[in-house]
Amino acid sequence: MVVPGQDNQPSTSNNDRFLVLKLSEDDPLFQKKIKLLRDKGFGQADLVRFDDTLVPDSVNANLDALLQRARIIHLNETELYFGVGVMNMNLEEEVYSPRNELEALNFILSRLDRCREKSVEENVSLKAVRDAIITRIYSFGDTYKMETNIIKDTCDSEKHLMEWAETHGLKSKLNIAYIEGAGRGVLAAEDLEVGDIALEIPISVIISEDLVYKSDMIPVLEKIEGISAETMLLLWSMRERHNVDSKYKIYFDTLPEQFNTGLSFGLDAMVALDETLALDEIFQAKEHLRSEYDELFPALFDKFPDLFSRELYTWEQYLWACELFYSNSMKIMFPDGKLKTCLIPVAGFLNHSVCPHILHYGKVDTVTNTLKFPLSRPCSRGEQCYLSYGNLPSSHLLTFYGFLPQEMNPFDIIPLDIEAAPECTSEEGHLDSTTHMVRGTWLSTNQGIFNYGLPSPLLEHLRHVGKPDLQTMTLFQENLENEIKVLDELRVIFENMMDKLGDSEMDDWNNIKWDVQLAVRYKDLQRNIVSSILTACHSGRKMVERELEKCLDEDKLG
């Protein structure tokens, strides 16, 4: 938050302002984040002063200090595990991820804007910092711009949907189009700045569980023991899709006959995914859905044949509806404080990016009763406007959405089944329960000895297992010999993984089905990650061997 200058604070002007970025004690990662803040010389809630005497260099220094704190405050578990790495080669500073950088910059910006709204007179330095943040957001976003190749403009069904939504109060600065490599997406109809509302959708257009509770299905659905609101909405949607008098018929008419997610993969695609995380994810998801379907049907056919017809509620129709909700639904907080799974016409055309234009869109504005989609970075006219589906690995995006990101995905991880050793305890005395993982080493800038582009928590764990009392990160013989063992252990793990993945055998790329293409691309991504780990182990071992040789030579001379 920002507060005016006070008598007990250092001040040179009555127009001083102090910005405090505080880490909430309710943060589930509080202990890890507070330790990281302290390691960098920060506290839980440090105060940074802005006064009119600050020169440009001081403004930038203050912004850098704020940004370092804001990044840590907004870390998620994966980003915290891997630490910093260059996600944008055009920036001089290391960042944790595109998502984290945008969150941090917009977090500071929102605090500054609150201060300016409350200020009687303008603070020159505060304005300078705000301008600097906007400049950084522009610079950061520009390096993530992707070329938009339009195949064709909207068809009649999408035009009718927009017209229908506008009659119910929708406000949009976006146009729907068919985009190469992305299917349908939305383009900025004009130049949009940070904070602009790209899309505003009234509650009356949103499909939520409230519609089920107003329908003739609810007396029956409420009798089903353990049924969730999401399942009730899914069953309602399966029938409503075929209701010619439905208020939402225009929306359902825009939906595809097949969603082409991983849940619709054929046998050849599943074979191509052998030994990958995505294969396990698809199998588990389909088994779960089949189990849910079997619990509902044929029991509902027999008990309520007028409500549940066998033609509308087949397994294929059920799977289609599940794919609809997996790939198009959003979790929305309503004015009553309840979080609901919803289908949101028009908004469903927004595609995902690891560096999205829209970060926050999950809460209904209680004043306007609308769902707003504000921009966290600018979007130029004609550019595709992206939002974030979440911090998701490509295996999840493949399984439930049916695509792989074009950009490098910092959340493409491979979890490792490594148990904590009995000696591995936290500062509080509990067993270390960290889930260890790896990702492509190209995402790390720290390729030197004792790092190699690999995650520090994993390396520290393996070092501790081998030599619990050994001091690491020093060029002593015992440390270096243990380091070789650590790298050899990792190399064996990932050589076995690479052997199971096999070689890429795709020659006639243009003549294979969509699902096999996606499967092959995903498996190649897994191979690239594993290959980068093996390269790191190989080059790292050479570094350690050279240092060990120097160490032994010095001992001989001594």
Side-chain angles (χ1 to χ4, degrees):
M1 66 178 185
V2 183
V3 297
Q6 300 173 21
D7 293 340
N8 61 343
Q9 299 288 352
S11 177
T12 59
S13 167
N14 290 330
N15 200 28
D16 285 359
R17 292 293 180 271
F18 301 96
L19 186 63
V20 180
L21 304 183
K22 184 177 181 180
L23 173 63
S24 171
E25 293 184 8
D26 295 330
D27 191 315
L29 300 172
F30 178 82
Q31 293 298 333
K32 292 181 179 180
K33 289 183 181 181
I34 198 68
K35 182 180 184 302
L36 184 55
L37 282 167
R38 288 170 180 165
D39 288 346
K40 292 182 177 295
F42 305 134
Q44 181 183 348
D46 297 318
L47 180 148
V48 177
R49 188 185 72 188
F50 298 92
D51 64 68
D52 286 347
T53 66
L54 290 179
V55 296
D57 287 345
S58 298
V59 168
N60 288 325
N62 278 1
L63 175 55
D64 289 339
L66 287 169
L67 191 51
Q68 288 185 59
R69 292 171 174 86
R71 287 168 177 157
I72 294 172
I73 289 171
H74 286 87
L75 286 174
N76 61 38
E77 195 160 8
T78 299
E79 293 160 346
L80 192 57
Y81 180 85
F82 285 102
V84 295
V86 169
M87 311 303 301
N88 186 320
M89 300 306 292
N90 292 334
L91 295 180
E92 295 181 359
E93 252 188 311
E94 293 183 344
V95 298
Y96 291 90
S97 75
R99 179 212 68 86
N100 177 267
E101 192 72 359
L102 287 174
E103 286 275 20
L105 288 165
N106 280 274
F107 179 59
I108 301 170
L109 185 64
S110 67
R111 269 51 184 177
L112 289 173
D113 285 344
R114 287 181 191 177
C115 177
R116 296 178 74 203
E117 288 172 4
K118 296 176 182 179
S119 298
V120 176
E121 51 186 320
E122 184 71 274
N123 178 288
V124 176
S125 294
L126 212 59
K127 182 180 183 303
V129 172
R130 189 186 192 283
D131 292 343
I133 291 174
I134 295 296
T135 299
R136 292 201 189 194
I137 291 174
Y138 263 94
S139 176
F140 190 78
D142 283 347
T143 57
Y144 280 91
K145 277 191 176 182
M146 291 187 289
E147 187 176 350
T148 301
N149 295 319
I150 301 173
I151 299 175
K152 63 177 179 178
D153 293 329
T154 55
C155 296
D156 288 343
S157 60
E158 288 89 15
K159 290 178 182 177
H160 292 157
L161 177 65
M162 289 294 289
E163 291 168 358
W164 169 82
E166 286 169 358
T167 63
H168 286 81
L170 174 135
K171 299 176 182 177
S172 175
K173 297 178 181 177
L174 305 172
N175 294 322
I176 304 169
Y178 285 78
I179 301 166
E180 184 179 356
R184 289 181 294 191
V186 294
L187 312 176
E190 59 188 76
D191 289 339
L192 300 175
E193 307 295 334
V194 176
D196 284 351
I197 306 300
L199 195 61
E200 185 173 356
I201 300 177
I203 286 183
S204 60
V205 172
I206 297 174
I207 298 173
S208 73
E209 64 191 57
D210 296 342
L211 297 172
V212 183
Y213 287 102
K214 295 175 183 177
S215 75
D216 61 348
M217 297 182 76
I218 195 62
V220 170
L221 294 175
E222 285 184 324
K223 293 177 183 178
I224 303 174
E225 186 177 352
I227 192 169
S228 66
E230 288 83 359
T231 301
M232 288 196 293
L233 181 58
L234 184 142
L235 294 174
W236 175 88
S237 299
M238 291 175 71
R239 188 179 70 158
E240 198 70 8
R241 176 191 180 192
H242 300 283
N243 179 6
V244 294
D245 297 321
S246 171
K247 171 185 174 181
Y248 300 95
K249 182 181 186 304
I250 290 176
Y251 166 67
F252 284 109
D253 285 347
T254 65
L255 298 176
E257 289 297 318
Q258 185 175 347
F259 280 101
N260 289 351
T261 73
L263 298 175
S264 292
F265 272 16
L267 180 60
D268 289 342
M270 299 294 273
V271 169
L273 285 176
D274 189 35
E275 296 294 341
T276 65
L277 297 171
L279 181 64
D280 293 338
E281 199 160 349
I282 292 171
F283 265 129
Q284 290 174 17
K286 290 195 76 168
E287 283 182 7
H288 171 71
L289 295 179
R290 187 76 215 196
S291 175
E292 282 192 338
Y293 180 80
D294 290 342
E295 286 181 10
L296 294 167
F297 303 100
L300 292 180
F301 294 150
D302 298 334
K303 290 183 180 179
F304 310 102
D306 294 337
L307 200 58
F308 295 98
S309 71
R310 293 179 181 272
E311 292 76 19
L312 295 186
Y313 288 93
T314 63
W315 160 247
E316 290 74 21
Q317 295 271 22
Y318 184 81
L319 182 59
W320 179 92
C322 290
E323 290 183 285
L324 165 64
F325 275 85
Y326 279 136
S327 61
N328 280 263
S329 68
M330 299 178 184
K331 290 282 189 181
I332 303 300
M333 180 69 73
F334 278 70
D336 60 4
K338 190 172 182 181
L339 189 65
K340 304 173 185 178
T341 299
C342 304
L343 295 173
I344 307 176
V346 182
F349 295 126
L350 284 155
N351 290 320
H352 168 80
S353 171
V354 300
C355 186
H357 298 92
I358 300 168
L359 279 171
H360 303 289
Y361 50 88
K363 189 174 182 179
V364 172
D365 188 309
T366 55
V367 176
T368 61
N369 264 343
T370 59
L371 187 65
K372 297 179 180 179
F373 293 76
L375 264 69
S376 295
R377 70 177 178 96
C379 187
S380 303
R381 183 178 183 274
E383 180 184 357
Q384 185 173 183
C385 187
Y386 295 96
L387 55 66
S388 171
Y389 293 174
N391 310 314
L392 303 171
S394 290
S395 60
H396 188 97
L397 294 171
L398 177 74
T399 300
F400 298 106
Y401 294 91
F403 74 93
L404 297 173
Q406 296 180 45
E407 321 102 309
M408 289 188 299
N409 185 359
F411 303 106
D412 270 339
I413 61 157
I414 298 177
L416 301 177
D417 187 14
I418 297 177
E419 295 183 3
E423 299 86 355
C424 291
T425 57
S426 65
E427 293 179 1
E428 293 76 23
H430 302 298
L431 284 177
D432 180 9
S433 59
T434 300
T435 300
H436 292 288
M437 61 191 91
V438 294
R439 65 183 181 185
T441 59
W442 55 78
L443 292 168
S444 173
T445 54
N446 200 341
Q447 306 283 337
I449 193 166
F450 295 120
N451 292 283
Y452 327 109
L454 300 170
S456 296
L458 172 62
L459 292 171
E460 285 298 321
H461 173 83
L462 294 174
R463 290 168 187 147
H464 186 83
V465 169
K467 294 285 185 179
D469 301 322
L470 198 64
Q471 182 184 4
T472 59
M473 308 297 283
T474 52
L475 299 176
F476 294 150
Q477 179 180 342
E478 195 175 6
N479 288 347
L480 295 169
E481 288 172 345
N482 189 53
E483 197 74 1
I484 288 175
K485 291 179 181 177
V486 166
L487 291 170
D488 284 347
E489 182 179 346
L490 279 174
R491 178 181 53 79
V492 170
I493 291 172
F494 286 95
E495 280 179 348
N496 290 334
M497 199 176 291
M498 184 64 91
D499 288 342
K500 290 179 180 178
L501 288 171
D503 299 323
S504 181
E505 300 178 354
M506 194 53 58
D507 298 323
D508 191 9
W509 183 262
N510 294 323
N511 292 322
I512 61 173
K513 293 174 62 179
W514 66 269
D515 55 346
V516 179
Q517 285 191 28
L518 268 176
V520 170
R521 284 178 54 208
Y522 174 77
K523 198 166 190 177
D524 284 343
L525 173 61
Q526 293 286 285
R527 287 192 191 92
N528 290 340
I529 294 174
V530 174
S531 177
S532 75
I533 306 299
L534 290 172
T535 300
C537 291
H538 179 72
S539 59
R541 198 182 200 283
K542 285 188 173 182
M543 278 189 274
V544 176
E545 286 173 343
R546 285 195 293 269
E547 293 300 330
L548 180 58
E549 187 176 337
K550 292 179 187 177
C551 189
L552 293 173
D553 288 343
E554 290 174 1
D555 287 345
K556 289 177 183 179
L557 292 174

